[in-house]
Amino acid sequence: MISNRYKWGFFWIVWASILWGFSYVPQELVWWFDPLAGLWEAGGTELIEGSMIVAAMQALMFAIVLFLLWSTVNGKPKEAVKNLVHFPVSKWFLVSAFWGGLLAMFGSTLATAFIGADFSSAIALLSGVTGALYARVLFKEKLTKKLIVGLIITTIGGILICDPSAIMDNITNPAKDGVWLGYLGGIMSAIGWGVESCYNVRGIDVADTEATTVPRYFWEMILWFVIVMPLTAAIVGWGDFYSLLGEVMSNPNVYGLLIFTALSLGVADSLLHKGFPLMGVGRGLAVDNAVYVPAALISLWVFLKDYDISIWLIAGAVVAIIGTFVMYWEKEEVQDGLRDSGEDD
Amino acid sequence: MIEMAKIDRIPLKSRVLLSLRDDGEQWTTDVTDKVLAATNTNPSNRWKWVIRFYLLEMDINGMVRMVDERIADEAYYAQADVVESKYKITKLGLERLEAVLK
């Protein structure tokens, strides 16, 4: 039974990772079209506004696409509505929307906009570590010795992928003003996705896993459109901000790419929701990270052809994958369950 | 009345926990029949497997605990040699259910 649930958990999470990796292609491509392409050149506040609009529109598209093509196709539209309207369940997805949407997704978009999709995908690898540690605190999820060793190895792999010498060169180069915002975004995504996964699981505990990404992205959309965007518009100017939003929303290419992002990243998140209860958050994120980073970099190289695969990347990916296998092959130590049930065995 | 209206709004997975709290230890097939009847859900093979999977997930995550196992009646799942378990709710499961019913 343990072997079977590991097999299925692993299966869902590997598919999630491949789709997640591919999603960086449409996420990067959206910045190739006007008016976003112009913002990349302009940098500064305008690029932050653009990142915010892209993140908000992604949440909107994810909520619609996942309701129609995930929950409904799986026969769970009623469960998705229940998970959304019953606040004692829905509130966990609201909290995870804050961490995963406002912090992680926006951070990832900033990292993509200011540095590039390759860095953005690689730095988020550290979310496995934040997720495992936060899961230990929030759920008393069991941390075995092999899991801890695996987490350390994966972290070292993540650092190698990021290429520390290139980071230092970028930060110290006066010509690359504002690049620190990209690194800050990367850290936001690493923390945000790790913590978000833990709160998602709190909701998944009592709700159907095929109907949980809809409330998660519905709340993210509300946070962006009802709270963050009006506040930002009040600061930078209503006319400027909403005319930029109007321009983005009137470009059909942007919608096409957002649908591709929803079908890759959105479905990936849904598959993670299916895998987490079977493997645990820490282990799930670890497997996800080890697979999605190489998948992202290979996808970017194959489809966009503008990335060199460096020796740092290959070395880091190999180390991260070894770390993941160390974690994965500790299943015999997991015994009956992932968490303390509050009862004596 | 208010309590019943609230119970009608909770997700199906939480209804499984509720059944184990109210009726004590039960076999998978018994919980399935009760929950599907209580929620007016079509007792199709698909939903029977969905509820069996909910129980498996909740067992892994410490909210219910398996206390016995046997081979289910072949006619129930329309498949031979399907293992069904007897489950009881744990303290963690009770805590999670209380939070949902608030």
Side-chain angles (χ1 to χ4, degrees), chain A residues 74 86 204 206 208 344, chain B residues 13-14 46 54 65 96 100:
Chain A
N74 279 311
H86 189 60
I204 288 168
V206 288
D208 192 301
D344 296 331
Chain B
K13 196 171 174 181
S14 304
R46 171 189 156 70
Y54 287 164
R65 187 205 266 178
R96 293 285 189 268
V100 171

Side-chain angles (χ1 to χ4, degrees), chain B residues 1-13:
Chain B
M1 198 63 161
I2 293 168
E3 182 68 11
M4 277 310 294
K6 192 178 275 183
I7 286 170
D8 283 341
R9 287 200 300 265
I10 69 174
L12 199 61
K13 196 171 174 181

Side-chain angles (χ1 to χ4, degrees), chain A residues 238-258:
Chain A
W238 293 90
D240 290 346
F241 186 82
Y242 282 104
S243 67
L244 178 61
L245 176 65
E247 280 179 55
V248 175
M249 290 183 102
S250 60
N251 188 337
N253 294 319
V254 171
Y255 283 99
L257 288 164
L258 287 175

Side-chain angles (χ1 to χ4, degrees), chain A residues 328-343:
Chain A
Y328 179 57
W329 260 279
E330 53 81 55
K331 64 181 179 184
E332 70 277 7
E333 293 181 21
V334 176
Q335 296 176 355
D336 295 328
L338 297 165
R339 299 183 206 156
D340 294 332
S341 61
E343 299 190 340

Side-chain angles (χ1 to χ4, degrees), chain A residues 66-128:
Chain A
L66 293 178
F67 181 74
L68 296 174
L69 293 182
W70 181 251
S71 296
T72 303
V73 168
N74 279 311
K76 312 275 177 61
K78 206 170 144 188
E79 286 298 303
V81 173
K82 278 184 181 176
N83 293 346
L84 176 64
V85 299
H86 189 60
F87 196 68
V89 175
S90 192
K91 70 180 178 187
W92 297 110
F93 301 113
L94 172 58
V95 177
S96 74
F98 169 80
W99 287 97
L102 297 198
L103 205 71
M105 196 67 87
F106 181 52
S108 175
T109 314
L110 275 180
T112 304
F114 280 89
I115 299 175
D118 52 346
F119 169 77
S120 177
S121 65
I123 190 72
L125 195 128
L126 296 176
S127 63

Side-chain angles (χ1 to χ4, degrees), chain A residues 279-316:
Chain A
M279 289 195 79
V281 176
R283 293 172 192 82
L285 280 175
V287 174
D288 174 46
N289 287 338
V291 180
Y292 97 79
V293 173
L297 296 162
I298 291 168
S299 299
L300 288 166
W301 183 72
V302 169
F303 290 101
L304 302 182
K305 301 277 185 195
D306 66 344
Y307 290 99
D308 296 323
I309 305 251
S310 72
I311 189 72
W312 285 99
L313 174 66
I314 295 167

Side-chain angles (χ1 to χ4, degrees), chain B residues 58-92:
Chain B
M58 291 193 287
D59 183 25
I60 293 164
N61 290 287
M63 290 182 290
V64 301
R65 187 205 266 178
M66 188 182 71
V67 291
D68 202 358
E69 271 185 316
R70 70 182 182 193
I71 300 293
D73 180 2
E74 193 173 328
Y76 193 81
Y77 289 106
Q79 193 175 316
D81 300 329
V82 175
V83 177
E84 72 162 331
S85 308
K86 185 185 252 187
Y87 292 101
K88 72 171 191 175
I89 193 165
T90 63
K91 281 181 193 167
L92 180 66

